[in-house]
Amino acid sequence: RTRSRSRRTHKVDQLAALRKRLAPTGLTCAASAAYWRVPYVPHPKHEHVGRIGMHLATLSKYKLADAARRQLPLLQESRVRRLF
């Protein structure tokens, strides 16, 4: 699974880079989950951001047996407002 399709990160997989850099410290185990995905953001006016996919990662020196993302109920908002 790749996280390197973003122009804003210059197509760098930041989690892989972080794991490589922190490996000497013993933080070799990781879990990651998406927490915000938007197909297109038309901002700023001069250069649109485009697609956004943000992930939250946990790094540990201990083996992670399981990881789960729990989503809270969404607010009753319009489809457009839920994107932000």
Side-chain angles (χ1 to χ4, degrees), residues 17-53:
L18 187 61
R19 290 183 74 182
K20 183 177 179 180
R21 189 168 194 163
L22 292 176
T25 67
L27 296 174
T28 56
C29 299
S32 171
Y35 73 92
W36 193 47
R37 288 187 186 145
V38 181
Y40 191 78
V41 177
H43 183 79
K45 191 175 186 178
H46 64 281
E47 183 181 357
H48 296 178
V49 172
R51 174 183 43 228
I52 291 182

Side-chain angles (χ1 to χ4, degrees), residues 3-4 8-9 11-20:
R3 291 170 192 79
S4 58
R8 290 182 63 102
T9 62
K11 302 191 185 289
V12 172
D13 184 342
Q14 293 178 327
L15 180 57
L18 187 61
R19 290 183 74 182
K20 183 177 179 180

